[in-house]
Structures are given as C-alpha cells and as structure tokens.
Amino acid sequence: MVRAIVGANWGDEGKGKITDMLAAKADIIIRFQGGSNAGHTIINKYGKFALHLLPSGVFYDHTTSVIGNGVALNIPYLIKEINEIVEKGVPRPKILVSDRAQLLMPYHILQDTYEEARLAGKAYGSTKSGIAPFYSDKFAKIGIQVSELFDDEILEEKVEKICTLKNVMFKHLYHMPELDKTELMNTLHEYRDMIEPFVCDVSAYLYKAIKEGKSILLEGQLGSLKDPDHGIYPMVTSSSTLAAYGAIGAGIAPYEISDITTVVKAYSSAVGAGEFVSEILDEAVADELRRRGGDGGEFGATTGRPRRMGWFDAVASRYGVRIQGTTEVALTVLDVLGYLDEIPVCVGYDINGEITKDFPTTNKLKLAKPVYEYLPGWKCDIRGIKEYDKLPENCRKYIEFIEKELEVPVKLVSNGPGRDDIIYR
C-alpha cells in the first residue's frame, strides 16, 4: 500500500509530524521532490529535529528511508543530516539514494544567491538553496545524475559544458568569479565517494517492495500553493508539490498511490513572497499568533524567518485539497487557537465586488479581499485530549465547519507538537 503525505497550502502545515507518526507502521518512507530549501520539524523521544533532505520517518529502526529521483540532492547536506541525528542518539538509519537523482552543486547555490541579489526588490524570496538553478539545469539537460558520478568520461564532458555556460553568466551578468574545471571535477569525485554506499536502483527496489505488500509513505515538501503549475506562480517552488508527482519522483506506477493524506493547518502561515489573501495585517495580532504557533513559534525551519500569519483560508485550502486528490485530511496545530474569543475563517474572495469560492489564478488573486465568517473560540487548552468527543463543543464545531468547507473528511486532528498529540476520528 502506498500513501502520499502532502500539504494543502503554502507549506509549513506539519507534514513532518504526520509522516513521523504514520511511519510507525510503514516499511519505506520516500522523499520524492524538492531539496534542502524547506524543513520538516519533528519532536519525539530523541528530541526536536528540523529535517531538510531526510524523510521524516527516519527515526524508526524498522524503516528504510529513500531519496527519490525527483529530489534535488545536496550530497554534503545529506551526509551532514545523517551524522547530526546519529550524534543525538538516533540509531543509524538505513538510507537508499536513487541512482537517477540529480546533484545540487555549489554553483547552483551561488547562482541562486547572485540572482536574488540582482533582482533586489523584485526577488522571489528564495531560500538561496540553489533549487531553481538546479531544476533549470535538470530540464536544460546539463544536470548530473548520481549514476554519472561513476563515469569520468561522462563527467568531464558535462563539466566542460557546464563551465562554458555558467561562466558566461557568472562573469558577464553577475560579475563574479568563474568556475574552475579541475576544482569542479575534484568536488564531483568527493561527492562520488560520499554517496556510493547509499546508491540504489530505487525504482526496481520499490517495484519489488510493492509486490511484497510493503507499506510505503511518499513525503512531499511544501504544499499545493507552491506548485509551479497549480500554485501562486511565479512565487512558487521549482518542483511539483502534488501527490501525483510522487509516482514520477519515486519511480512507481501512478495507480499504486491508493491513499492521499493532505495536511491542512488550522490557521494559515507562509514563508516568503506571494499572494496571501487571509494574511493578518495587524502586526500585533499576527505576532501573537506567530509566538503561540507551531512548536516554538512560527519561524521557518530552514531560514529562521518569521512566517507571515493568516486566518484559515477555506478557499485556498479547498483548492489545495482538491488538486492533491485528497482521500483524508490531517488538521494540525488546532491547540494553538485556544486563546481566541472568536476565530475568523475566510470563506470567500471578493474580487471587484463579486464573491467567489473558487481559487483564482495569480493575476486575479492580487485583487482578492477576504470574506470572513466568525466562529466562537473554546478558550481552553486541548493538549492531552485523545478522544474527539472529549474536545470542547466549539472546538468540534470549528473542525466540522472546516470539514464541510473542504468537502473531504478530517480523519486526524493534531492537538500538540508531540508525536502522540493526535486524535483519530
């Protein structure tokens, strides 16, 4: 059985916790897209962790963690992450890396940094992790596959082509030092030695695992609204954040994905630029929610940047759930809202005087104003509650209101940051 765990919104929904929790009964956990540009925060018996490349089920000794072919593979970052969790007492995980994954190189990070500086006030809010240049090179066919690390003839040809193209840009557009071919080859040889123990034909491995009836989790990065096709383009990421891409980014048949758990936040938050209709514009109100939010405040797990805060957006979330093909919703950080007398929920967008409940394209999104309904708060701490009917009545009404708006059942309710702070409906 293959289950995808993905986000409905801008990312930061709490997918890491849900993956970590469901991994208890899984055999294999796969990262299928993205890179080290976003983090998943996990709190368990070993402590608190912010994972970036490693799948969030890496803390169980019965699981295999896989880096799929769709991932932007920063090899030193991956090795560093493995070593960091082991140093904190986590058993050394079993890791497999697809031989078809492509390498995120130091020059990608340089190019990302240079381009953001060049764009200045019109920048895209990149984390400067090299993600956009990486995927650009992949589709321009000058990327380097893991398998190619073991063939110097191919590498030398690639390095020649890469340096020719990049150095024109670095010298004449960015006015920065050029790449050195010998240094680049040496780096690639270092990467080969670092990654060799983990390399695997992941697609063949997963084909066999599926035939054997193994339980497999596909873990997505970010959320629906950051998808380059269906998100708030151009303020998006550079790989597909949708469950459908899980089949491509892992190397399995699309019909094998039988369950799609989409993680939805009980309020909204976003890191970086882009349209955000339900954003709280009163900074004092936003900061109150930010300080109370998440497991230690709403700050980016990768960048540390304070997240932009908003109320629950039913229009964006319904769209995000639909575009993922959701079979069930996991609603997270519900406990955070216990301090409020009433809770605004964005139920529609006013665009030039017309009310819509359908999520529009970005050019129209810029014109949208939120239409709110106000629900009564429950004014108490709900952490520690394990049964749905033990939740305060207004809390249950809030969940059921969201469920009606999403048009998909809310099966999991997270009421705290810990692995066991969960209610099954």
Side-chain angles (χ1 to χ4, degrees):
M1 189 274 282
V2 181
R3 177 189 298 273
I5 301 172
V6 287
N9 305 115
W10 300 264
D12 316 315
E13 298 97 347
K15 297 179 294 299
K17 170 185 169 170
I18 303 302
T19 306
D20 178 50
M21 184 192 74
L22 295 178
K25 296 181 180 178
D27 300 300
I28 301 164
I29 303 97
I30 308 166
R31 271 290 306 278
F32 64 83
Q33 48 84 222
S36 60
N37 54 317
H40 292 167
T41 302
I42 309 290
I43 298 174
N44 55 32
K45 65 181 181 180
Y46 299 107
K48 179 178 175 180
F49 300 85
L51 300 182
H52 299 86
L53 273 174
L54 286 174
S56 296
V58 77
F59 300 100
Y60 295 95
D61 55 13
H62 69 276
T63 60
T64 299
S65 294
V66 176
I67 306 296
N69 56 274
V71 171
L73 177 61
N74 183 329
I75 289 177
Y77 205 112
L78 176 67
I79 302 304
K80 172 174 164 282
E81 258 192 10
I82 294 169
N83 292 337
E84 281 178 351
I85 67 168
V86 170
E87 285 166 8
K88 291 184 178 180
V90 178
R92 183 167 288 277
K94 183 181 180 184
I95 307 287
L96 298 177
V97 175
S98 172
D99 53 5
R100 294 179 183 271
Q102 294 204 13
L103 308 187
L104 189 143
M105 297 296 293
Y107 56 76
H108 291 133
I109 297 170
L110 288 174
Q111 185 179 337
D112 201 358
T113 305
Y114 298 160
E115 180 64 6
E116 283 289 293
R118 186 184 74 85
L119 291 171
K122 294 184 179 179
Y124 294 111
S126 167
T127 60
K128 303 180 182 66
S129 303
I131 303 300
F134 164 86
Y135 282 108
S136 296
D137 283 1
K138 180 175 181 175
F139 292 108
K141 294 177 278 293
I142 58 167
I144 300 170
Q145 276 194 349
V146 166
S147 61
E148 294 172 337
L149 287 172
F150 304 93
D151 188 325
D152 268 3
E153 187 177 337
I154 289 176
L155 277 188
E156 286 171 2
E157 186 180 321
K158 280 277 177 80
V159 165
E160 181 70 34
K161 187 183 290 186
I162 289 163
C163 287
T164 299
L165 290 169
K166 296 292 180 189
N167 285 344
V168 171
M169 187 184 300
F170 280 24
K171 182 178 180 180
H172 297 291
L173 180 62
Y174 299 129
H175 310 293
M176 291 294 182
E178 298 178 65
L179 300 178
D180 180 86
K181 294 174 189 176
T182 303
E183 186 179 325
L184 187 50
M185 277 298 290
N186 289 340
T187 298
L188 289 166
H189 288 153
E190 288 173 16
Y191 286 7
R192 176 195 62 202
D193 296 341
M194 293 164 77
I195 204 65
E196 187 172 13
F198 307 103
V199 178
C200 169
D201 181 344
V202 161
S203 182
Y205 170 80
L206 294 176
Y207 179 75
K208 183 169 182 276
I210 290 169
K211 287 183 74 172
E212 292 172 353
K214 302 287 189 185
S215 175
I216 298 170
L217 298 180
L218 300 173
E219 181 183 21
Q221 182 203 61
L222 297 170
S224 305
L225 304 183
K226 289 292 186 178
D227 184 80
D229 286 292
H230 299 283
I232 53 171
Y233 187 87
M235 302 301 186
V236 292
T237 193
S238 301
S239 64
S240 178
T241 59
L242 304 185
Y245 188 76
I248 299 166
I252 62 174
Y255 54 75
E256 298 292 358
I257 305 174
S258 56
D259 297 288
I260 299 172
T261 301
T262 303
V263 186
V264 178
K265 218 165 186 172
Y267 52 88
S268 298
S269 69
V271 169
E275 305 306 322
F276 188 12
V277 177
S278 70
E279 185 168 13
I280 301 168
L281 302 178
D282 184 324
E283 183 50 37
V285 176
D287 193 55
E288 175 83 358
L289 182 55
R290 183 182 298 114
R291 286 188 298 101
R292 291 174 177 270
D295 53 87
E298 290 284 0
F299 299 91
T302 300
T303 62
R305 287 185 292 188
R307 291 175 179 146
R308 297 161 66 195
M309 305 304 298
W311 302 119
F312 184 82
D313 187 333
V315 178
S317 299
R318 181 168 52 250
Y319 170 77
V321 161
R322 174 173 67 81
I323 212 75
Q324 291 287 8
T326 304
T327 58
E328 66 176 16
V329 164
L331 185 67
T332 59
V333 293
L334 184 66
D335 55 296
V336 172
L337 300 176
Y339 72 100
L340 293 162
D341 292 315
E342 64 176 10
I343 308 170
V345 176
C346 176
V347 295
Y349 293 169
D350 182 333
I351 301 176
N352 293 331
E354 290 189 19
I355 307 300
T356 182
K357 292 200 167 190
D358 294 320
F359 192 76
T361 52
T362 310
N363 61 316
K364 293 180 180 176
L365 197 62
K366 291 178 179 179
L367 306 172
K369 296 183 177 71
V371 177
Y372 286 115
E373 283 192 31
Y374 295 85
L375 277 65
W378 46 93
K379 297 294 290 180
C380 66
D381 186 359
I382 61 169
R383 288 190 188 185
I385 296 174
K386 296 293 184 185
E387 297 170 37
Y388 183 72
D389 60 6
K390 298 287 174 57
L391 288 170
E393 182 182 1
N394 285 344
C395 185
R396 296 197 307 272
K397 284 182 176 178
Y398 186 76
I399 296 166
E400 288 154 18
F401 184 90
I402 286 174
E403 183 175 59
K404 185 179 178 183
E405 289 289 323
L406 295 179
E407 301 174 0
V408 176
V410 175
K411 292 289 188 69
L412 300 165
V413 177
S414 172
N415 61 335
R419 178 187 281 171
D420 299 321
D421 293 327
I422 200 83
I423 298 169
Y424 295 89
R425 291 182 75 214

